[in-house]
Amino acid sequence: MKKFNLFNEVITVDKSELLQAINSAKEYGINIDGAIKYAPFDEKEILIYQGKYTPQPANALVKAQAPTLAEIFGRNYQIIENKNKVLIKAFSNWQELIRVNTPRASYDDTTGDGVDKFADEALEEIGWNATEFDINYRTLVDVLEKECEGTLLCIEQEDPYKFSGLGFLNDDTHAKEVLFSYCQNEIKKLMREDSLYTTEKLTDDEKEAAEYFKCL
């Protein structure tokens, strides 16, 4: 998986397309590639902005002045405009972007407790069964981030070290194959090498998990 670190990234958007979206009165978003997208958003879309512009009614005595892009986006965004492009830095709006993107994320690594579930039902079934053999979600996420394609939308800084992220897998079916194979191999090795996990010593829950991973 690739990291998209909002601390470092500047998103470039076509100015005319952005103005068209603003004036459309439709809900729209800007994804990490700088493309304008309209609701409903794709299930794997990763947005650095989501909103809908509603013009303020003009005062009968004072002609309404159109707001600047900086005013439309708000103080949590840094906006630089040139003739054809708009450059956006979005890291200060991280907490809002968690809310915006979590419904489409494969997993959430933004809390102090770390990852505790997968959004995809099949991946979650693997995670749930793997815990019977002390294979935790953190380990499974490390495998996914190493072996699978996708994007980790995050804020990460080195000094002092800070990390928070949302994972988006490109292919849940492939991810399931990777995780299932990993857990199967680890459990077989554990049952082979650790006397506490021989077949006759497994609890009912461990047996059920071992059967799920085809280790019995």
Side-chain angles (χ1 to χ4, degrees):
M1 294 176 70
K2 64 181 180 180
K3 283 185 180 180
F4 191 92
N5 185 359
L6 285 175
F7 271 128
N8 302 329
E9 298 289 345
V10 177
I11 298 91
T12 303
V13 184
D14 182 274
K15 190 172 184 178
S16 63
E17 291 183 8
L18 176 58
L19 292 176
Q20 182 179 349
I22 291 171
N23 293 324
S24 71
K26 298 177 181 178
E27 184 177 16
Y28 71 96
I30 302 170
N31 69 17
I32 58 175
D33 297 316
I36 303 294
K37 302 292 181 177
Y38 292 90
F41 304 108
D42 291 345
E43 63 175 11
K44 296 290 186 178
E45 201 73 77
I46 308 173
L47 301 178
I48 59 95
Y49 178 82
Q50 179 179 326
K52 176 181 178 181
Y53 176 62
T54 304
Q56 296 297 315
N59 187 295
L61 300 177
V62 181
K63 185 178 180 180
Q65 185 175 2
T68 65
L69 288 179
E71 289 171 336
I72 291 173
F73 277 79
R75 60 190 178 90
N76 287 334
Y77 287 88
Q78 297 176 25
I79 306 293
I80 298 176
E81 299 181 55
N82 62 29
K83 185 176 180 180
N84 300 314
K85 303 292 182 183
V86 178
L87 308 180
I88 303 172
K89 291 206 75 170
F91 71 86
S92 294
N93 206 40
W94 174 240
Q95 292 302 319
E96 175 64 13
L97 292 179
I98 293 174
R99 184 192 69 78
V100 164
N101 286 290
T102 295
R104 295 183 297 277
S106 301
Y107 59 86
D108 182 351
D109 197 8
T110 65
T111 69
D113 296 331
V115 180
D116 62 1
K117 66 181 296 186
F118 294 114
D120 179 78
E121 187 175 321
L123 290 176
E124 175 58 18
E125 189 173 10
I126 291 173
W128 178 261
N129 280 284
T131 58
E132 293 296 335
F133 288 87
D134 293 327
I135 302 173
N136 59 36
Y137 282 83
R138 177 74 264 159
T139 298
L140 298 179
V141 166
D142 288 342
V143 172
L144 290 174
E145 292 177 0
K146 180 180 179 181
E147 302 293 338
C148 298
E149 293 186 357
T151 301
L152 188 59
L153 178 68
C154 64
I155 53 170
E156 184 177 32
Q157 63 184 27
E158 294 182 0
D159 189 20
Y161 183 75
K162 180 179 180 180
F163 174 85
S164 194
L166 293 170
F168 296 81
L169 294 161
N170 289 355
D171 187 338
D172 288 337
T173 299
H174 177 248
K176 178 184 176 181
E177 293 170 356
V178 168
L179 278 197
F180 189 93
S181 178
Y182 171 82
C183 292
Q184 184 182 65
N185 290 336
E186 289 298 304
I187 292 169
K188 284 182 176 179
K189 180 180 178 182
L190 192 64
M191 293 175 64
R192 185 171 62 248
E193 298 178 359
D194 191 329
S195 60
L196 294 176
Y197 288 96
T198 57
T199 302
E200 59 273 11
K201 291 183 180 179
L202 295 179
T203 66
D204 289 343
D205 288 341
E206 288 168 346
K207 285 181 180 178
E208 185 176 340
E211 289 172 354
Y212 172 82
F213 288 112
K214 303 185 188 306
C215 295
L216 288 178

